[in-house]
Amino acid sequence: MKRRLLIDEEIIQKRIKQLADEINHDYQGKELTLICILKGAIYFFTDLSRRINLPTELEFIRISSYHGENSTGHVDMKMGLDHSIKGRDVLIVEDIIDSGRTLSYLVDYLSLDEPNSIKICTLLDKPERRVVDGINVDYVGFKIKDRFVVGYGLDLDEEYRNLPNVECFTHDTYQNLQNDRYEIYKQLIKKNNS
Ligand code: IMP
Ligand code: MG
């Protein structure tokens, strides 16, 4: 399978600015705890958090549920919070939502600490792949088709995370991929006009 460009860095950055504007607006007058889900969300988290102009605490959780191109269905917490989030407004920053298992587990886990609110912000969402119902995703960068993507933090067995763009592995025709890229671009333009 070949690796092909899906979302370039300029489009990613434009969309991050839109998301940060939305978040700044929605949390006006509040203090925020941003939780980075390592390792995949690392670049998204650093780019997004620098555009947030509210009093903000940064926290990191390391969790994994994936081996190769398939979720194991088993969520493994490797590093937890180092401060309590009790009474805080929490925004989870994720790279991608696939089956929804990781987030469902995480929301339950974080709720035990009784934060004031928990919302979810993900760069990418693959809604067709969801197996867990009832996950409410508050901020989505781009909805994508069922494709396995790497780059900008996302990996395949720890490889490709540091690619600047989001790429995908595919046998697909050039035209199908162009259509996907166009659908992604439309999501950016739609937000600009709304
Ligand atoms: P979920 O628990 O099935 O929603 O999976 C979420 C996690 O799986 C994400 O945080 C990613 O680390 C990983 N993941 C899901 N889809 C992809 C992909 O297309 N490329 C790389 N990692 C992925
Ligand atoms: Mg991840």
Side-chain angles (χ1 to χ4, degrees), residues 136-177:
N136 187 24
V137 192
D138 305 276
Y139 306 96
V140 177
F142 300 101
K143 286 193 176 146
I144 61 169
K145 297 248 176 69
D146 180 8
R147 290 188 181 280
F148 192 82
V149 290
V150 294
Y152 195 67
L154 292 139
D155 72 309
L156 173 58
D157 286 336
E158 297 302 326
E159 226 186 311
Y160 312 110
R161 286 198 199 277
N162 61 329
L163 298 174
N165 306 306
V166 172
E167 307 191 7
C168 64
F169 285 95
T170 184
H171 293 299
D172 228 336
T173 61
Y174 177 78
Q175 192 54 50
N176 277 348
L177 200 56

